[in-house]
Amino acid sequence: MNLDYARPAALPWNCSKSVENLGKGNGDMNKLKRILVTGAGGFIGHHLVRRLKADGHWVRGVDIKYPEYEASAANQFEVLDLRKADNCLLATRGGIDEVYNLAADMGGIGYITAFHADISRNNILINAQMLEAARQNEVKRFLFSSSACVYAQSKQKNPEVTPLCEADAFPADPEPGYGWEKLFAEELCRYYFKDYGFETRIVRFHNVYGPLGTYDGGKEKAPAAISRKVAVAQDGGEIEVWGDGEQTRSFMYVDDCVEGLIRIMASDCRDALNLGTDELVTINGLVDMIAKIADKRLNKVHNLSGPQGVRGRNSDNSMLRRVLGWEPSIRLEQGLAVTYRWIESEVRKSPKYVSEASPVLAQVR
Ligand code: NAD
């Protein structure tokens, strides 16, 4: 399959970059390892597997499903439901050095506000049982993928939000469901180190986007959903935006995310760390950027009853810079250009969108 999302040469990131200059804590971490990535059938996990393989590691991918858009690069890919303890033991068997635990029941704001019970139950089961299985199988390090949804909602009421530093998760007032279970799983990681000396790392992602991520079906996040809507819209047409569009976020391109994950795993830091950019943008601004990339003029129609989450959220990267001497640097416009082109090419291939969409798309097909 031709994915057509090659990175323009001028961009500063490079997948073949190996783990080097990782700051303190890398010790013998540059050696080749046996690595388990859970959630390897999903967006970030799939990209991470590809990068770890390119760096020369042996990689097992585990997920409840295969990747949707291209085959996994993993040495082994096993379809397992990690809500079951036995499957977590199977996944972590055989001398695994590191686990990146990315498996989760999650989606964009529409999804995580609609299914509190299912999301919480599924993710509590995955996280608690993966930690225990990894400990029993003597895995050396375990990285938990947390979220900026752990941050106190009371500190995110203003679009001009003060960037959130790690301490802002307490006193606890996270996103209902998804945010609470992430915050408790962070605590569980700390307890495992305190009681068992089990090495854990905790990463709080701020909105990750890029090619090969879900762009329809209800689990898509804002950059992918808006890219799809722009791709389907006719020039001069309308685009629906949830809320008044003045809510703000920062967005991180997936290659920065993968780079950060590997660096945090290799660091000495057991505290939770933000991993995001601090390039704040309104959702209206995000729509304008994507429309410009697509070279379309679109009228925004604001759906004020659509879910929009907190009013403003940004990442304070001071601690990340201190720990790693590094932070994500890919500009939103650069990453969105790659992402939009990929989603546009997917939409063009999809009978669902070609029939719904503009004559322009139908002609292209
Ligand atoms: P994703 O939905 O693309 O990937 C998650 C994967 O977990 C999916 O492939 C899914 O099938 C798998 N999974 C779900 N239930 C499972 C089960 N019972 N057993 C095995 N696998 C199961 O999401 P993503 O964007 O790649 O996110 C990866 C991690 O990062 C998740 O923990 C997520 O909560 C976290 N995160 C992501 C973002 C983001 O912006 N993408 C932001 C904050 C946190």
Side-chain angles (χ1 to χ4, degrees):
M1 189 180 0
N2 176 15
L3 288 167
D4 190 29
Y5 68 98
R7 299 171 187 90
L11 289 178
W13 71 99
N14 172 5
C15 249
S16 64
K17 200 161 38 181
S18 64
V19 187
E20 56 191 2
N21 301 324
L22 293 180
K24 60 179 184 163
N26 53 333
D28 67 350
M29 299 298 288
N30 289 333
K31 77 173 172 40
L32 296 184
K33 288 165 285 196
R34 288 173 66 80
I35 298 177
L36 166 65
V37 177
T38 73
F43 170 48
I44 300 172
H46 179 73
H47 282 272
L48 177 64
V49 167
R50 202 165 48 174
R51 165 64 189 271
L52 292 170
K53 278 289 295 171
D55 287 349
H57 301 291
W58 184 92
V59 182
R60 176 182 296 147
V62 168
D63 201 295
I64 204 167
K65 66 168 177 67
Y66 288 104
E68 275 166 70
Y69 308 109
E70 69 175 17
S72 176
N75 297 81
Q76 253 179 18
F77 192 100
E78 296 183 348
V79 173
L80 296 171
D81 183 345
L82 297 173
R83 289 171 298 186
K84 299 196 166 85
D86 287 354
N87 287 341
C88 295
L89 283 167
L90 258 182
T92 50
R93 75 191 185 280
I96 294 290
D97 296 302
E98 294 179 351
V99 172
Y100 289 86
N101 190 36
L102 303 181
D105 182 4
M106 66 92 65
I109 191 67
Y111 186 78
I112 65 167
T113 52
F115 303 108
H116 292 151
D118 285 357
I119 289 175
S120 303
R121 185 192 61 245
N122 290 338
N123 293 342
I124 286 166
L125 288 170
I126 294 170
N127 293 327
Q129 295 178 155
M130 275 300 301
L131 255 174
E132 177 57 14
R135 183 190 73 82
Q136 284 186 27
N137 275 326
E138 299 180 357
V139 166
K140 297 193 183 77
R141 283 189 186 199
F142 182 99
L143 181 144
F144 170 58
S145 55
S146 187
S147 162
C149 288
V150 300
Y151 284 116
Q153 296 175 90
S154 58
K155 295 175 182 163
Q156 305 173 76
K157 291 192 179 302
N158 185 339
E160 298 298 324
V161 62
T162 306
L164 294 157
C165 70
E166 285 74 1
D168 286 325
F170 297 99
D173 171 28
E175 182 77 31
Y178 180 69
W180 274 108
E181 57 86 4
K182 288 284 191 198
L183 193 60
F184 183 71
E186 287 189 3
E187 289 300 296
L188 200 54
C189 287
R190 293 188 189 99
Y191 302 153
Y192 265 67
F193 179 71
K194 185 172 93 31
D195 291 3
Y196 300 117
F198 184 61
E199 284 287 350
T200 53
R201 302 289 178 270
I202 303 166
V203 181
R204 289 182 186 157
F205 293 132
H206 289 249
N207 303 301
V208 187
Y209 71 98
L212 304 175
T214 302
Y215 63 89
D216 70 355
K219 285 193 164 186
E220 63 277 20
K221 306 189 115 199
I226 294 169
S227 293
R228 186 201 70 231
K229 290 179 187 180
V230 170
V232 170
Q234 296 190 48
D235 190 17
E238 291 184 342
I239 178 165
E240 186 202 28
V241 178
W242 286 352
D244 65 2
E246 292 306 307
Q247 65 272 32
T248 53
R249 295 291 186 278
S250 67
F251 296 95
M252 168 171 58
Y253 189 69
V254 66
D255 283 13
D256 265 343
C257 173
V258 165
E259 182 70 31
L261 277 171
I262 292 172
R263 287 172 182 260
I264 290 171
M265 178 69 104
S267 80
D268 273 345
C269 183
R270 296 185 196 99
D271 294 324
L273 280 174
N274 277 333
L275 183 56
T277 72
D278 52 12
E279 187 183 349
L280 194 67
V281 63
T282 64
I283 297 302
N284 286 331
L286 187 68
V287 173
D288 292 341
M289 268 187 204
I290 298 173
K292 187 171 160 213
I293 290 164
D295 197 20
K296 289 183 183 179
R297 280 163 299 113
L298 297 173
N299 300 314
K300 300 182 201 78
V301 178
H302 291 107
N303 173 0
L304 297 180
S305 60
Q308 53 173 299
V310 293
R311 194 66 179 144
R313 175 179 292 154
N314 199 0
S315 177
D316 180 329
N317 287 347
S318 313
M319 190 159 147
L320 187 72
R321 281 192 295 269
R322 234 180 8 256
V323 171
L324 299 183
W326 173 91
E327 68 183 313
S329 60
I330 297 164
R331 303 283 305 168
L332 184 56
E333 266 184 318
Q334 293 178 303
L336 280 178
V338 182
T339 308
Y340 177 76
R341 293 296 164 215
W342 179 75
I343 291 177
E344 184 193 38
S345 73
E346 287 293 299
V347 164
R348 281 178 180 174
K349 284 186 291 196
S350 158
K352 176 177 164 195
Y353 290 112
V354 169
S355 57
E356 270 176 25
S358 67
V360 179
L361 277 179
Q363 276 165 24
V364 173
R365 197 174 186 234

